[in-house]
Amino acid sequence: MKKLANLAIAAVLTGTIILSPIHTVKTEAATTNAEKYVNQAIYWAGALKWQISIEYKKDVSYPDMKVFNATKDNILKAKSEFSTLPTAQRTQLEAKLRDQAEIHYTRAIAYIDAISSGKKLKAQADLFTSSYNANPSTDETEKAYHDLTYRIKHTANQLYKVYGSTTREAILKEYKLPAESARNAASNAITAKMAIDQFRTIAVERRTPELQAPVEEKIKKVADTNIRLLLLHKLQTGENQLPPNIDKYKQDFQKMGFKFNSDTTAVYTYGGMSIGLLNRGTYWQLRSDNWNGHYYTMFKKSIAVVWGADIAFSSMKYLEYAIGRPDTGYSTSYIKTFVSGDSLVVYVYMPRAQTQ
């Protein structure tokens, strides 16, 4: 028994002597590989650091993806070697990899994600701008506006994750600010369009000046004259296109002697008489506080600008009716006449608004 025990002990010692060098070789190999990959990851991460810096790149664009992928591959290879290392050595190399390579790799991911999100935001802004320029009063444009608003908010979360204030500001300037400018420039028009839609839903049952006045106030806030007129037209008719020949009407009024002091307002003065002209979107408003015999000719010519001489001639009796009975207004599919205070007022409806 004692001999067997001695043989067993000898066998264990022999095995230990045989196995230890193999284990040591494997550990040394893992150490060598781990250190090699860590050092390579640090090398590529150093190059990647500049690929995500606006000071180096001078423009907002993706980094060199070969550099990015080399950094990523060496980080992964280094980590695959860590499991066989002694704890102390593993901890040391993990810290080195984290502090000198992974930090730049992580920042690069945030940078790439920001640019990808920024490009999507730009595409959304371009889609909205195209729809808005084509027709700002449609449901499609309103939807594009809300989609853009959502995209701006969503993208901002990605853009603000970019490391480095200078680089971050450059990306924000490239993508977020133009999108916000496009949205903000259209906000009054879209707000007015939404108010018009709500009003017209209510107006199916009751259309009152009290309900319409707040909508008109929103429309007045729209800076662009053509869009403002379009929204006024939509308010009255529900249509998403302005009546034709707006510019030609204006030119014809100018030939008559009307002096325009804005895109929508003009005044005609002659022999102590003054006639005000206002484009209200769906009609031209004529207003005279002190008319004389000359007013008859000017009002008739004004109606003829839109409807031609025959309709203008047949419409003049309605001006006489309004003057003769100031408490009653007269309307046709072409004009509306009434007296307001001391003023004679005529609405000359434009062709696409004549049913109103």
PDB file of all heavy atoms in Angstrom, residues 297-334:
ATOM      1  N   THR A 297     -68.437 105.238 -63.121  1.00  0.00           N
ATOM      2  CA  THR A 297     -67.536 104.731 -64.149  1.00  0.00           C
ATOM      3  C   THR A 297     -66.431 103.876 -63.543  1.00  0.00           C
ATOM      4  O   THR A 297     -66.096 102.795 -64.047  1.00  0.00           O
ATOM      5  CB  THR A 297     -66.906 105.898 -64.927  1.00  0.00           C
ATOM      6  OG1 THR A 297     -67.952 106.659 -65.540  1.00  0.00           O
ATOM      7  CG2 THR A 297     -65.947 105.396 -65.993  1.00  0.00           C
ATOM      8  N   MET A 298     -65.853 104.326 -62.431  1.00  0.00           N
ATOM      9  CA  MET A 298     -64.739 103.614 -61.825  1.00  0.00           C
ATOM     10  C   MET A 298     -65.164 102.266 -61.241  1.00  0.00           C
ATOM     11  O   MET A 298     -64.453 101.271 -61.367  1.00  0.00           O
ATOM     12  CB  MET A 298     -64.079 104.470 -60.744  1.00  0.00           C
ATOM     13  CG  MET A 298     -63.365 105.692 -61.305  1.00  0.00           C
ATOM     14  SD  MET A 298     -62.113 105.260 -62.548  1.00  0.00           S
ATOM     15  CE  MET A 298     -60.998 104.274 -61.579  1.00  0.00           C
ATOM     16  N   PHE A 299     -66.345 102.229 -60.608  1.00  0.00           N
ATOM     17  CA  PHE A 299     -66.829 100.967 -60.061  1.00  0.00           C
ATOM     18  C   PHE A 299     -67.137  99.996 -61.206  1.00  0.00           C
ATOM     19  O   PHE A 299     -66.864  98.789 -61.100  1.00  0.00           O
ATOM     20  CB  PHE A 299     -68.064 101.208 -59.198  1.00  0.00           C
ATOM     21  CG  PHE A 299     -67.743 101.550 -57.771  1.00  0.00           C
ATOM     22  CD1 PHE A 299     -67.088 102.720 -57.457  1.00  0.00           C
ATOM     23  CD2 PHE A 299     -68.076 100.696 -56.729  1.00  0.00           C
ATOM     24  CE1 PHE A 299     -66.783 103.054 -56.141  1.00  0.00           C
ATOM     25  CE2 PHE A 299     -67.773 101.011 -55.412  1.00  0.00           C
ATOM     26  CZ  PHE A 299     -67.120 102.202 -55.116  1.00  0.00           C
ATOM     27  N   LYS A 300     -67.712 100.506 -62.271  1.00  0.00           N
ATOM     28  CA  LYS A 300     -68.041  99.645 -63.402  1.00  0.00           C
ATOM     29  C   LYS A 300     -66.760  99.087 -64.039  1.00  0.00           C
ATOM     30  O   LYS A 300     -66.681  97.897 -64.356  1.00  0.00           O
ATOM     31  CB  LYS A 300     -68.849 100.412 -64.443  1.00  0.00           C
ATOM     32  CG  LYS A 300     -69.305  99.532 -65.631  1.00  0.00           C
ATOM     33  CD  LYS A 300     -70.339 100.229 -66.495  1.00  0.00           C
ATOM     34  CE  LYS A 300     -69.740 101.410 -67.228  1.00  0.00           C
ATOM     35  NZ  LYS A 300     -70.697 101.985 -68.213  1.00  0.00           N
ATOM     36  N   LYS A 301     -65.757  99.940 -64.211  1.00  0.00           N
ATOM     37  CA  LYS A 301     -64.489  99.471 -64.759  1.00  0.00           C
ATOM     38  C   LYS A 301     -63.826  98.449 -63.840  1.00  0.00           C
ATOM     39  O   LYS A 301     -63.201  97.481 -64.297  1.00  0.00           O
ATOM     40  CB  LYS A 301     -63.544 100.650 -64.974  1.00  0.00           C
ATOM     41  CG  LYS A 301     -63.892 101.532 -66.162  1.00  0.00           C
ATOM     42  CD  LYS A 301     -62.853 102.627 -66.326  1.00  0.00           C
ATOM     43  CE  LYS A 301     -63.141 103.497 -67.552  1.00  0.00           C
ATOM     44  NZ  LYS A 301     -62.116 104.552 -67.715  1.00  0.00           N
ATOM     45  N   SER A 302     -63.981  98.665 -62.529  1.00  0.00           N
ATOM     46  CA  SER A 302     -63.378  97.738 -61.570  1.00  0.00           C
ATOM     47  C   SER A 302     -64.026  96.363 -61.656  1.00  0.00           C
ATOM     48  O   SER A 302     -63.334  95.329 -61.612  1.00  0.00           O
ATOM     49  CB  SER A 302     -63.502  98.290 -60.149  1.00  0.00           C
ATOM     50  OG  SER A 302     -62.783  99.502 -60.006  1.00  0.00           O
ATOM     51  N   ILE A 303     -65.326  96.317 -61.756  1.00  0.00           N
ATOM     52  CA  ILE A 303     -66.024  95.036 -61.898  1.00  0.00           C
ATOM     53  C   ILE A 303     -65.645  94.386 -63.220  1.00  0.00           C
ATOM     54  O   ILE A 303     -65.451  93.161 -63.310  1.00  0.00           O
ATOM     55  CB  ILE A 303     -67.548  95.239 -61.811  1.00  0.00           C
ATOM     56  CG1 ILE A 303     -67.923  95.796 -60.431  1.00  0.00           C
ATOM     57  CG2 ILE A 303     -68.287  93.919 -62.056  1.00  0.00           C
ATOM     58  CD1 ILE A 303     -69.374  96.245 -60.317  1.00  0.00           C
ATOM     59  N   ALA A 304     -65.463  95.194 -64.259  1.00  0.00           N
ATOM     60  CA  ALA A 304     -65.103  94.671 -65.575  1.00  0.00           C
ATOM     61  C   ALA A 304     -63.718  94.029 -65.581  1.00  0.00           C
ATOM     62  O   ALA A 304     -63.456  93.126 -66.379  1.00  0.00           O
ATOM     63  CB  ALA A 304     -65.168  95.788 -66.614  1.00  0.00           C
ATOM     64  N   VAL A 305     -62.828  94.492 -64.705  1.00  0.00           N
ATOM     65  CA  VAL A 305     -61.503  93.886 -64.620  1.00  0.00           C
ATOM     66  C   VAL A 305     -61.620  92.391 -64.362  1.00  0.00           C
ATOM     67  O   VAL A 305     -60.875  91.577 -64.920  1.00  0.00           O
ATOM     68  CB  VAL A 305     -60.674  94.560 -63.498  1.00  0.00           C
ATOM     69  CG1 VAL A 305     -59.451  93.722 -63.137  1.00  0.00           C
ATOM     70  CG2 VAL A 305     -60.240  95.953 -63.932  1.00  0.00           C
ATOM     71  N   VAL A 306     -62.574  92.016 -63.515  1.00  0.00           N
ATOM     72  CA  VAL A 306     -62.726  90.619 -63.129  1.00  0.00           C
ATOM     73  C   VAL A 306     -63.725  89.886 -64.019  1.00  0.00           C
ATOM     74  O   VAL A 306     -63.491  88.748 -64.431  1.00  0.00           O
ATOM     75  CB  VAL A 306     -63.149  90.509 -61.650  1.00  0.00           C
ATOM     76  CG1 VAL A 306     -63.271  89.047 -61.221  1.00  0.00           C
ATOM     77  CG2 VAL A 306     -62.159  91.237 -60.758  1.00  0.00           C
ATOM     78  N   TRP A 307     -64.845  90.559 -64.348  1.00  0.00           N
ATOM     79  CA  TRP A 307     -65.949  89.839 -64.990  1.00  0.00           C
ATOM     80  C   TRP A 307     -66.270  90.305 -66.415  1.00  0.00           C
ATOM     81  O   TRP A 307     -67.117  89.710 -67.066  1.00  0.00           O
ATOM     82  CB  TRP A 307     -67.218  89.960 -64.141  1.00  0.00           C
ATOM     83  CG  TRP A 307     -67.116  89.179 -62.866  1.00  0.00           C
ATOM     84  CD1 TRP A 307     -66.989  89.661 -61.619  1.00  0.00           C
ATOM     85  CD2 TRP A 307     -67.100  87.763 -62.751  1.00  0.00           C
ATOM     86  NE1 TRP A 307     -66.893  88.646 -60.700  1.00  0.00           N
ATOM     87  CE2 TRP A 307     -66.963  87.458 -61.377  1.00  0.00           C
ATOM     88  CE3 TRP A 307     -67.174  86.707 -63.661  1.00  0.00           C
ATOM     89  CZ2 TRP A 307     -66.908  86.147 -60.904  1.00  0.00           C
ATOM     90  CZ3 TRP A 307     -67.120  85.403 -63.184  1.00  0.00           C
ATOM     91  CH2 TRP A 307     -66.988  85.137 -61.820  1.00  0.00           C
ATOM     92  N   GLY A 308     -65.616  91.335 -66.869  1.00  0.00           N
ATOM     93  CA  GLY A 308     -65.889  91.803 -68.218  1.00  0.00           C
ATOM     94  C   GLY A 308     -66.948  92.897 -68.247  1.00  0.00           C
ATOM     95  O   GLY A 308     -67.705  93.109 -67.281  1.00  0.00           O
ATOM     96  N   ALA A 309     -67.050  93.591 -69.384  1.00  0.00           N
ATOM     97  CA  ALA A 309     -67.897  94.779 -69.501  1.00  0.00           C
ATOM     98  C   ALA A 309     -69.380  94.462 -69.367  1.00  0.00           C
ATOM     99  O   ALA A 309     -70.135  95.224 -68.750  1.00  0.00           O
ATOM    100  CB  ALA A 309     -67.630  95.466 -70.840  1.00  0.00           C
ATOM    101  N   ASP A 310     -69.855  93.357 -69.937  1.00  0.00           N
ATOM    102  CA  ASP A 310     -71.288  93.046 -69.920  1.00  0.00           C
ATOM    103  C   ASP A 310     -71.803  92.827 -68.502  1.00  0.00           C
ATOM    104  O   ASP A 310     -72.826  93.390 -68.095  1.00  0.00           O
ATOM    105  CB  ASP A 310     -71.570  91.809 -70.772  1.00  0.00           C
ATOM    106  CG  ASP A 310     -71.371  92.061 -72.256  1.00  0.00           C
ATOM    107  OD1 ASP A 310     -71.347  93.246 -72.640  1.00  0.00           O
ATOM    108  OD2 ASP A 310     -71.237  91.079 -73.011  1.00  0.00           O
ATOM    109  N   ILE A 311     -71.102  92.007 -67.738  1.00  0.00           N
ATOM    110  CA  ILE A 311     -71.522  91.747 -66.361  1.00  0.00           C
ATOM    111  C   ILE A 311     -71.365  93.008 -65.523  1.00  0.00           C
ATOM    112  O   ILE A 311     -72.203  93.301 -64.651  1.00  0.00           O
ATOM    113  CB  ILE A 311     -70.712  90.575 -65.762  1.00  0.00           C
ATOM    114  CG1 ILE A 311     -71.111  89.272 -66.452  1.00  0.00           C
ATOM    115  CG2 ILE A 311     -70.918  90.475 -64.251  1.00  0.00           C
ATOM    116  CD1 ILE A 311     -70.314  88.064 -66.003  1.00  0.00           C
ATOM    117  N   ALA A 312     -70.328  93.782 -65.790  1.00  0.00           N
ATOM    118  CA  ALA A 312     -70.134  95.042 -65.055  1.00  0.00           C
ATOM    119  C   ALA A 312     -71.314  95.976 -65.287  1.00  0.00           C
ATOM    120  O   ALA A 312     -71.839  96.588 -64.346  1.00  0.00           O
ATOM    121  CB  ALA A 312     -68.822  95.700 -65.481  1.00  0.00           C
ATOM    122  N   PHE A 313     -71.766  96.093 -66.536  1.00  0.00           N
ATOM    123  CA  PHE A 313     -72.892  96.984 -66.857  1.00  0.00           C
ATOM    124  C   PHE A 313     -74.175  96.525 -66.163  1.00  0.00           C
ATOM    125  O   PHE A 313     -74.892  97.326 -65.561  1.00  0.00           O
ATOM    126  CB  PHE A 313     -73.095  97.016 -68.373  1.00  0.00           C
ATOM    127  CG  PHE A 313     -74.245  97.872 -68.791  1.00  0.00           C
ATOM    128  CD1 PHE A 313     -74.125  99.253 -68.842  1.00  0.00           C
ATOM    129  CD2 PHE A 313     -75.477  97.299 -69.118  1.00  0.00           C
ATOM    130  CE1 PHE A 313     -75.191 100.059 -69.213  1.00  0.00           C
ATOM    131  CE2 PHE A 313     -76.559  98.088 -69.485  1.00  0.00           C
ATOM    132  CZ  PHE A 313     -76.419  99.477 -69.537  1.00  0.00           C
ATOM    133  N   SER A 314     -74.447  95.214 -66.209  1.00  0.00           N
ATOM    134  CA  SER A 314     -75.676  94.708 -65.602  1.00  0.00           C
ATOM    135  C   SER A 314     -75.636  94.754 -64.078  1.00  0.00           C
ATOM    136  O   SER A 314     -76.685  94.698 -63.418  1.00  0.00           O
ATOM    137  CB  SER A 314     -75.934  93.266 -66.056  1.00  0.00           C
ATOM    138  OG  SER A 314     -74.909  92.398 -65.610  1.00  0.00           O
ATOM    139  N   SER A 315     -74.456  94.868 -63.519  1.00  0.00           N
ATOM    140  CA  SER A 315     -74.319  94.872 -62.060  1.00  0.00           C
ATOM    141  C   SER A 315     -74.500  96.252 -61.449  1.00  0.00           C
ATOM    142  O   SER A 315     -74.685  96.363 -60.228  1.00  0.00           O
ATOM    143  CB  SER A 315     -72.928  94.336 -61.663  1.00  0.00           C
ATOM    144  OG  SER A 315     -72.747  92.995 -62.065  1.00  0.00           O
ATOM    145  N   MET A 316     -74.449  97.292 -62.263  1.00  0.00           N
ATOM    146  CA  MET A 316     -74.463  98.639 -61.713  1.00  0.00           C
ATOM    147  C   MET A 316     -75.775  98.985 -61.018  1.00  0.00           C
ATOM    148  O   MET A 316     -75.810  99.809 -60.105  1.00  0.00           O
ATOM    149  CB  MET A 316     -74.170  99.658 -62.809  1.00  0.00           C
ATOM    150  CG  MET A 316     -72.774  99.532 -63.401  1.00  0.00           C
ATOM    151  SD  MET A 316     -71.461  99.416 -62.150  1.00  0.00           S
ATOM    152  CE  MET A 316     -71.581 101.027 -61.405  1.00  0.00           C
ATOM    153  N   LYS A 317     -76.864  98.324 -61.408  1.00  0.00           N
ATOM    154  CA  LYS A 317     -78.140  98.623 -60.756  1.00  0.00           C
ATOM    155  C   LYS A 317     -78.106  98.264 -59.271  1.00  0.00           C
ATOM    156  O   LYS A 317     -78.812  98.862 -58.450  1.00  0.00           O
ATOM    157  CB  LYS A 317     -79.269  97.873 -61.442  1.00  0.00           C
ATOM    158  CG  LYS A 317     -79.122  96.354 -61.438  1.00  0.00           C
ATOM    159  CD  LYS A 317     -80.219  95.682 -62.255  1.00  0.00           C
ATOM    160  CE  LYS A 317     -80.031  94.180 -62.314  1.00  0.00           C
ATOM    161  NZ  LYS A 317     -81.046  93.525 -63.171  1.00  0.00           N
ATOM    162  N   TYR A 318     -77.259  97.288 -58.922  1.00  0.00           N
ATOM    163  CA  TYR A 318     -77.183  96.869 -57.521  1.00  0.00           C
ATOM    164  C   TYR A 318     -76.477  97.927 -56.667  1.00  0.00           C
ATOM    165  O   TYR A 318     -76.743  98.042 -55.468  1.00  0.00           O
ATOM    166  CB  TYR A 318     -76.471  95.515 -57.413  1.00  0.00           C
ATOM    167  CG  TYR A 318     -77.233  94.417 -58.109  1.00  0.00           C
ATOM    168  CD1 TYR A 318     -76.806  93.922 -59.328  1.00  0.00           C
ATOM    169  CD2 TYR A 318     -78.410  93.901 -57.559  1.00  0.00           C
ATOM    170  CE1 TYR A 318     -77.510  92.916 -59.981  1.00  0.00           C
ATOM    171  CE2 TYR A 318     -79.120  92.904 -58.204  1.00  0.00           C
ATOM    172  CZ  TYR A 318     -78.672  92.427 -59.420  1.00  0.00           C
ATOM    173  OH  TYR A 318     -79.385  91.445 -60.077  1.00  0.00           O
ATOM    174  N   LEU A 319     -75.586  98.708 -57.288  1.00  0.00           N
ATOM    175  CA  LEU A 319     -74.995  99.832 -56.565  1.00  0.00           C
ATOM    176  C   LEU A 319     -76.067 100.885 -56.292  1.00  0.00           C
ATOM    177  O   LEU A 319     -76.131 101.459 -55.195  1.00  0.00           O
ATOM    178  CB  LEU A 319     -73.854 100.456 -57.370  1.00  0.00           C
ATOM    179  CG  LEU A 319     -72.465  99.822 -57.207  1.00  0.00           C
ATOM    180  CD1 LEU A 319     -72.404  98.475 -57.926  1.00  0.00           C
ATOM    181  CD2 LEU A 319     -71.384 100.757 -57.739  1.00  0.00           C
ATOM    182  N   GLU A 320     -76.904 101.129 -57.286  1.00  0.00           N
ATOM    183  CA  GLU A 320     -77.975 102.106 -57.119  1.00  0.00           C
ATOM    184  C   GLU A 320     -78.965 101.656 -56.055  1.00  0.00           C
ATOM    185  O   GLU A 320     -79.451 102.458 -55.253  1.00  0.00           O
ATOM    186  CB  GLU A 320     -78.684 102.328 -58.455  1.00  0.00           C
ATOM    187  CG  GLU A 320     -77.772 102.910 -59.534  1.00  0.00           C
ATOM    188  CD  GLU A 320     -78.420 102.942 -60.904  1.00  0.00           C
ATOM    189  OE1 GLU A 320     -79.583 102.475 -61.021  1.00  0.00           O
ATOM    190  OE2 GLU A 320     -77.773 103.402 -61.857  1.00  0.00           O
ATOM    191  N   TYR A 321     -79.255 100.337 -56.042  1.00  0.00           N
ATOM    192  CA  TYR A 321     -80.154  99.816 -55.005  1.00  0.00           C
ATOM    193  C   TYR A 321     -79.561 100.046 -53.615  1.00  0.00           C
ATOM    194  O   TYR A 321     -80.256 100.443 -52.674  1.00  0.00           O
ATOM    195  CB  TYR A 321     -80.379  98.307 -55.202  1.00  0.00           C
ATOM    196  CG  TYR A 321     -81.148  97.935 -56.434  1.00  0.00           C
ATOM    197  CD1 TYR A 321     -81.139  96.616 -56.903  1.00  0.00           C
ATOM    198  CD2 TYR A 321     -81.910  98.876 -57.139  1.00  0.00           C
ATOM    199  CE1 TYR A 321     -81.840  96.247 -58.035  1.00  0.00           C
ATOM    200  CE2 TYR A 321     -82.621  98.510 -58.274  1.00  0.00           C
ATOM    201  CZ  TYR A 321     -82.575  97.210 -58.723  1.00  0.00           C
ATOM    202  OH  TYR A 321     -83.273  96.837 -59.843  1.00  0.00           O
ATOM    203  N   ALA A 322     -78.259  99.768 -53.477  1.00  0.00           N
ATOM    204  CA  ALA A 322     -77.612  99.912 -52.174  1.00  0.00           C
ATOM    205  C   ALA A 322     -77.614 101.359 -51.705  1.00  0.00           C
ATOM    206  O   ALA A 322     -77.844 101.640 -50.524  1.00  0.00           O
ATOM    207  CB  ALA A 322     -76.175  99.393 -52.254  1.00  0.00           C
ATOM    208  N   ILE A 323     -77.386 102.285 -52.647  1.00  0.00           N
ATOM    209  CA  ILE A 323     -77.391 103.702 -52.283  1.00  0.00           C
ATOM    210  C   ILE A 323     -78.804 104.153 -51.923  1.00  0.00           C
ATOM    211  O   ILE A 323     -79.021 104.902 -50.960  1.00  0.00           O
ATOM    212  CB  ILE A 323     -76.844 104.552 -53.449  1.00  0.00           C
ATOM    213  CG1 ILE A 323     -75.359 104.221 -53.667  1.00  0.00           C
ATOM    214  CG2 ILE A 323     -77.001 106.038 -53.158  1.00  0.00           C
ATOM    215  CD1 ILE A 323     -74.788 104.835 -54.929  1.00  0.00           C
ATOM    216  N   GLY A 324     -79.772 103.645 -52.683  1.00  0.00           N
ATOM    217  CA  GLY A 324     -81.160 104.041 -52.429  1.00  0.00           C
ATOM    218  C   GLY A 324     -81.717 103.446 -51.152  1.00  0.00           C
ATOM    219  O   GLY A 324     -82.572 104.056 -50.500  1.00  0.00           O
ATOM    220  N   ARG A 325     -81.253 102.258 -50.791  1.00  0.00           N
ATOM    221  CA  ARG A 325     -81.753 101.594 -49.570  1.00  0.00           C
ATOM    222  C   ARG A 325     -80.547 101.129 -48.749  1.00  0.00           C
ATOM    223  O   ARG A 325     -80.166  99.954 -48.773  1.00  0.00           O
ATOM    224  CB  ARG A 325     -82.646 100.410 -49.933  1.00  0.00           C
ATOM    225  CG  ARG A 325     -83.853 100.805 -50.778  1.00  0.00           C
ATOM    226  CD  ARG A 325     -84.721  99.607 -51.102  1.00  0.00           C
ATOM    227  NE  ARG A 325     -85.238  98.988 -49.889  1.00  0.00           N
ATOM    228  CZ  ARG A 325     -85.969  97.855 -49.890  1.00  0.00           C
ATOM    229  NH1 ARG A 325     -86.219  97.237 -51.028  1.00  0.00           N
ATOM    230  NH2 ARG A 325     -86.424  97.353 -48.750  1.00  0.00           N
ATOM    231  N   PRO A 326     -79.918 102.038 -48.008  1.00  0.00           N
ATOM    232  CA  PRO A 326     -78.676 101.741 -47.291  1.00  0.00           C
ATOM    233  C   PRO A 326     -78.781 100.613 -46.275  1.00  0.00           C
ATOM    234  O   PRO A 326     -77.755 100.044 -45.880  1.00  0.00           O
ATOM    235  CB  PRO A 326     -78.358 103.064 -46.590  1.00  0.00           C
ATOM    236  CG  PRO A 326     -79.079 104.092 -47.393  1.00  0.00           C
ATOM    237  CD  PRO A 326     -80.338 103.434 -47.856  1.00  0.00           C
ATOM    238  N   ASP A 327     -79.997 100.295 -45.846  1.00  0.00           N
ATOM    239  CA  ASP A 327     -80.141  99.261 -44.830  1.00  0.00           C
ATOM    240  C   ASP A 327     -80.226  97.858 -45.440  1.00  0.00           C
ATOM    241  O   ASP A 327     -80.428  96.875 -44.724  1.00  0.00           O
ATOM    242  CB  ASP A 327     -81.402  99.528 -43.987  1.00  0.00           C
ATOM    243  CG  ASP A 327     -82.663  99.605 -44.847  1.00  0.00           C
ATOM    244  OD1 ASP A 327     -82.536  99.919 -46.050  1.00  0.00           O
ATOM    245  OD2 ASP A 327     -83.758  99.355 -44.307  1.00  0.00           O
ATOM    246  N   THR A 328     -80.075  97.751 -46.744  1.00  0.00           N
ATOM    247  CA  THR A 328     -80.207  96.461 -47.424  1.00  0.00           C
ATOM    248  C   THR A 328     -79.003  96.212 -48.318  1.00  0.00           C
ATOM    249  O   THR A 328     -78.566  97.092 -49.042  1.00  0.00           O
ATOM    250  CB  THR A 328     -81.487  96.430 -48.279  1.00  0.00           C
ATOM    251  OG1 THR A 328     -82.599  96.762 -47.460  1.00  0.00           O
ATOM    252  CG2 THR A 328     -81.696  95.042 -48.880  1.00  0.00           C
ATOM    253  N   GLY A 329     -78.478  94.997 -48.261  1.00  0.00           N
ATOM    254  CA  GLY A 329     -77.384  94.632 -49.135  1.00  0.00           C
ATOM    255  C   GLY A 329     -77.903  93.814 -50.306  1.00  0.00           C
ATOM    256  O   GLY A 329     -78.957  93.173 -50.230  1.00  0.00           O
ATOM    257  N   TYR A 330     -77.175  93.837 -51.385  1.00  0.00           N
ATOM    258  CA  TYR A 330     -77.573  93.112 -52.590  1.00  0.00           C
ATOM    259  C   TYR A 330     -76.409  92.251 -53.070  1.00  0.00           C
ATOM    260  O   TYR A 330     -75.273  92.730 -53.172  1.00  0.00           O
ATOM    261  CB  TYR A 330     -77.998  94.092 -53.688  1.00  0.00           C
ATOM    262  CG  TYR A 330     -79.212  94.899 -53.305  1.00  0.00           C
ATOM    263  CD1 TYR A 330     -79.064  96.098 -52.618  1.00  0.00           C
ATOM    264  CD2 TYR A 330     -80.485  94.442 -53.606  1.00  0.00           C
ATOM    265  CE1 TYR A 330     -80.179  96.838 -52.235  1.00  0.00           C
ATOM    266  CE2 TYR A 330     -81.610  95.178 -53.242  1.00  0.00           C
ATOM    267  CZ  TYR A 330     -81.443  96.372 -52.548  1.00  0.00           C
ATOM    268  OH  TYR A 330     -82.550  97.091 -52.169  1.00  0.00           O
ATOM    269  N   SER A 331     -76.724  90.996 -53.378  1.00  0.00           N
ATOM    270  CA  SER A 331     -75.672  90.074 -53.781  1.00  0.00           C
ATOM    271  C   SER A 331     -76.059  89.317 -55.041  1.00  0.00           C
ATOM    272  O   SER A 331     -77.229  88.979 -55.248  1.00  0.00           O
ATOM    273  CB  SER A 331     -75.390  89.050 -52.675  1.00  0.00           C
ATOM    274  OG  SER A 331     -74.896  89.659 -51.514  1.00  0.00           O
ATOM    275  N   THR A 332     -75.076  89.083 -55.867  1.00  0.00           N
ATOM    276  CA  THR A 332     -75.215  88.169 -57.000  1.00  0.00           C
ATOM    277  C   THR A 332     -74.025  87.216 -56.929  1.00  0.00           C
ATOM    278  O   THR A 332     -73.223  87.278 -55.990  1.00  0.00           O
ATOM    279  CB  THR A 332     -75.183  88.940 -58.340  1.00  0.00           C
ATOM    280  OG1 THR A 332     -73.854  89.397 -58.592  1.00  0.00           O
ATOM    281  CG2 THR A 332     -76.136  90.126 -58.325  1.00  0.00           C
ATOM    282  N   SER A 333     -73.892  86.361 -57.908  1.00  0.00           N
ATOM    283  CA  SER A 333     -72.748  85.456 -57.919  1.00  0.00           C
ATOM    284  C   SER A 333     -71.467  86.185 -58.324  1.00  0.00           C
ATOM    285  O   SER A 333     -70.392  85.607 -58.288  1.00  0.00           O
ATOM    286  CB  SER A 333     -73.002  84.280 -58.869  1.00  0.00           C
ATOM    287  OG  SER A 333     -73.393  84.735 -60.138  1.00  0.00           O
ATOM    288  N   TYR A 334     -71.623  87.473 -58.724  1.00  0.00           N
ATOM    289  CA  TYR A 334     -70.464  88.246 -59.156  1.00  0.00           C
ATOM    290  C   TYR A 334     -70.057  89.332 -58.160  1.00  0.00           C
ATOM    291  O   TYR A 334     -68.871  89.591 -57.976  1.00  0.00           O
ATOM    292  CB  TYR A 334     -70.744  88.913 -60.508  1.00  0.00           C
ATOM    293  CG  TYR A 334     -71.244  87.951 -61.553  1.00  0.00           C
ATOM    294  CD1 TYR A 334     -72.553  88.013 -62.013  1.00  0.00           C
ATOM    295  CD2 TYR A 334     -70.396  86.981 -62.065  1.00  0.00           C
ATOM    296  CE1 TYR A 334     -73.007  87.122 -62.978  1.00  0.00           C
ATOM    297  CE2 TYR A 334     -70.842  86.080 -63.031  1.00  0.00           C
ATOM    298  CZ  TYR A 334     -72.157  86.155 -63.480  1.00  0.00           C
ATOM    299  OH  TYR A 334     -72.605  85.268 -64.431  1.00  0.00           O
TER     300      TYR A 334
END
